[in-house]
Amino acid sequence: MTTDINMEKLQQDAVDIFHQGFACSESVIYAIKKNFELDMSDDAIAMSSGFPWGLGGGGCICGALAGATMCIGYFFGRKTPGDPKISRCFALTNEIHDYFKETCGGTCCRVLTRGMEKDSPERKAQCTKFVASTVKKTAEIILRELEKDQKADSHEEA
């Protein structure tokens, strides 16, 4: 894993793969995986394939936000019941949620894309902006929190 992330490259990777056919959730996970050089199975990308267009076309949560949530969970989620680190994961997920809602104007795909045809250039342009801003903010949160962990670990060793 690396934490030497070029944010412009990260965003470009997400946008490029989005324009090559991945949907919003898949694009966010792909770019985080690639740029952080994660030893993460491509199964994580596949697991996000049901999110686009608001949960398979249902119009609910934006897939970019869902993909971001999955990435935060990858780094800061729990693997056993009762693990107290779930509180941190919830706080970070709430942070990306609030950022997305404020920046993009909501979290619901059908609200964000109201009046736009599914494959229209207008919708693709808007969703491209959502993917780019969301992947960047997600990486910023991850980097900030990893730095906190590193500082805490170095204090414990001293």
Side-chain angles (χ1 to χ4, degrees):
M1 180 181 84
T2 185
T3 55
D4 184 23
I5 307 300
N6 177 324
M7 291 296 181
E8 289 180 18
K9 182 180 179 314
L10 171 88
Q11 287 180 292
Q12 192 61 54
D13 286 343
V15 167
D16 286 349
I17 202 75
F18 182 66
H19 286 270
Q20 291 172 32
F22 265 179
C24 41
S25 55
E26 298 161 326
S27 299
V28 169
I29 293 169
Y30 169 87
I32 293 288
K33 177 183 186 266
K34 179 180 178 183
N35 286 267
F36 278 83
E37 298 175 7
L38 298 177
D39 184 22
M40 173 195 290
S41 169
D42 286 342
D43 292 340
I45 297 169
M47 288 173 64
S48 77
S49 293
F51 288 120
W53 303 287
L55 301 175
C60 293
I61 188 170
C62 172
L65 178 56
T69 300
M70 289 179 68
C71 290
I72 288 170
Y74 176 82
F75 282 91
F76 306 106
R78 63 182 173 183
K79 295 181 181 171
T80 58
D83 188 332
K85 73 182 195 176
I86 192 66
S87 297
R88 181 183 190 190
C89 187
F90 282 172
L92 299 175
T93 299
N94 186 263
E95 180 181 348
I96 193 67
H97 169 273
D98 290 352
Y99 167 84
F100 189 93
K101 186 175 181 180
E102 182 178 314
T103 302
C104 301
T107 60
C108 182
C109 184
R110 89 171 59 88
V111 171
L112 296 169
T113 59
R114 184 171 283 131
M116 297 180 207
E117 293 295 320
K118 184 177 174 188
D119 294 321
S120 71
E122 174 190 26
R123 184 169 175 166
K124 189 73 165 185
Q126 175 178 272
C127 294
T128 297
K129 290 178 194 172
F130 293 167
V131 166
S133 65
T134 303
V135 76
K136 181 180 180 194
K137 182 63 174 181
T138 303
E140 289 170 353
I141 291 169
I142 292 166
L143 290 170
R144 181 193 72 215
E145 294 300 312
L146 290 175
E147 187 176 316
K148 284 181 186 177
D149 290 349
Q150 187 177 18
K151 286 180 181 177
D153 289 346
S154 67
H155 283 90
E156 288 176 11
E157 292 173 8

